[in-house]
Amino acid sequence: MSQHCHPDCQRSMASKEEHDSAERAATVAANLISATRHLLKLDREMTEYSAQYLVDNTLLEEKPGQSPHSFTLTIEDCIEYLVKLASPKTEAELEEMEKDQQRRARITVKDCLECAFKEGIPRREQWAHLGCVSPVPAYASFIPRVPMRGTVIETQELDEAVKLMKDNLIAAKLLVFSPEIERVGNGVYVGPSGAAGESRYVGLRDVILCGGEKFQGDDVMNVQICYKKRTSIIKVSLTRMVTTLADDGNESQSVERMGLLVDFVVPLISK
């Protein structure tokens, strides 16, 4: 569908420097599903699946009477949807929007994969574009979804993730520091490399592992990352360790040393 389906979408997309955490997680999950199904020959050709569907439906509490298997659609439902689009938001609708933002903030790659395995997922062109701010219409429950089965494995250990890579595609989280992430180019991303105060911790970003190699004497992992709405493949050092403080930044708290790649997620799709 069009990436500019509504002026509100254009304003929303222009106002964001990068996708939010739910959109990033959903994009990685959808890409994992596409590549894995192609490798398993479940799809004859590489098929793109809807990341926005996962944003709209992951961790969504199903309300009574709204099951896609029992829902009926009337002309009145369509008219009501169009009226809501054109009308100012009520206080109750604003509260629902706030609850939905809280739901989105909790979404992870694992949650998205489990949603797809439970409910199926439509192809990308059959759902709204990534970042669409229009409410999901009632008729969306009738949009066909590709059924799929599978489970999700999680591990914190890099060595275990590397072993699983022999037969599976894997997602992870990358500790992102600026300006190093912008300057990596064709070199190796090693996290904070400047003097104290020169590097800024941006946060965790979902990535897909694309394979390890030796590069300039270092063990590195090629990863696909979407940062500031640009998708690229960069080399990440597997030997570099960084020190992180507690979440509240209290320096009196104990510190932890960790690699740049953490929280590995493996989708096991059944044939």
Side-chain angles (χ1 to χ4, degrees):
M1 293 185 181
S2 170
Q3 292 192 356
H4 306 292
C5 67
H6 191 279
D8 287 345
C9 287
Q10 296 182 42
R11 287 189 289 269
S12 175
M13 294 174 70
S15 68
K16 296 192 300 185
E17 186 178 36
E18 65 175 324
H19 298 300
D20 65 29
S21 61
E23 292 166 348
R24 295 194 300 266
T27 298
V28 165
N31 288 342
L32 280 174
I33 289 171
S34 295
T36 301
R37 285 181 59 86
H38 183 57
L39 288 172
L40 294 175
K41 295 182 171 54
L42 294 172
D43 293 328
R44 292 183 179 179
E45 57 186 8
M46 183 67 79
T47 303
E48 294 185 47
Y49 292 96
S50 173
Q52 185 61 37
Y53 170 85
L54 297 175
V55 172
D56 291 334
N57 290 275
T58 299
L59 300 182
L60 188 67
E61 294 183 7
E62 187 176 288
K63 297 179 181 179
Q66 288 190 345
S67 168
H69 304 292
S70 61
F71 183 76
T72 57
L73 182 67
T74 65
I75 294 295
E76 287 75 15
D77 293 325
C78 297
I79 294 174
E80 181 182 358
Y81 174 76
L82 294 174
V83 169
K84 284 185 176 180
L85 280 182
S87 304
K89 296 291 187 293
T90 65
E91 185 173 341
E93 288 172 334
L94 292 173
E95 290 179 359
E96 283 298 314
M97 291 174 63
E98 177 61 28
K99 290 180 181 178
D100 195 60
Q101 286 301 314
Q102 294 173 6
R103 173 190 66 85
R104 288 174 61 124
R106 301 194 307 272
I107 290 176
T108 65
V109 173
K110 176 177 181 288
D111 296 327
C112 290
L113 291 169
E114 290 178 339
C115 174
F117 294 157
K118 179 182 177 182
E119 304 291 346
I121 182 173
R123 294 179 174 87
R124 183 181 62 83
E125 66 273 12
Q126 295 173 323
W127 201 264
H129 65 83
L130 184 65
C132 182
V133 298
S134 298
V136 178
Y139 63 77
S141 62
F142 294 100
I143 293 175
R145 288 168 287 174
V146 177
M148 54 190 68
R149 297 176 299 156
T151 57
V152 183
I153 295 177
E154 293 181 288
T155 179
Q156 299 294 325
E157 301 299 326
L158 174 62
D159 290 343
E160 184 177 351
V162 170
K163 291 178 182 177
L164 289 168
M165 276 191 69
K166 295 177 181 178
D167 302 303
N168 305 277
L169 294 172
I170 298 181
K173 289 185 180 294
L174 176 68
L175 279 71
V176 174
F177 293 84
S178 181
E180 289 79 8
I181 191 68
E182 291 95 345
R183 297 175 178 173
V184 61
N186 295 322
V188 179
Y189 175 70
V190 295
S193 56
E198 291 184 4
S199 295
R200 177 176 64 90
Y201 177 57
V202 176
L204 294 168
R205 293 295 183 271
D206 294 300
V207 299
I208 296 177
L209 308 189
C210 302
E213 63 174 307
K214 276 279 189 181
F215 184 79
Q216 296 180 349
D218 193 7
D219 291 324
V220 302
M221 179 66 67
N222 294 292
V223 307
Q224 182 186 79
I225 180 173
C226 183
Y227 181 66
K228 293 186 177 180
K229 299 182 182 179
R230 284 190 57 194
T231 299
S232 60
I233 294 179
I234 64 173
K235 299 182 188 300
V236 177
S237 173
L238 295 179
T239 58
R240 180 67 187 272
M241 303 293 289
V242 296
T243 301
T244 60
L245 293 171
D247 289 341
D248 59 6
N250 185 350
E251 296 186 11
S252 66
Q253 299 279 335
S254 60
V255 296
E256 180 182 2
R257 287 178 60 78
M258 64 174 64
L260 294 168
L261 291 166
V262 298
D263 300 342
F264 304 96
V265 176
V266 187
L268 302 179
I269 297 180
S270 305
K271 289 188 177 181

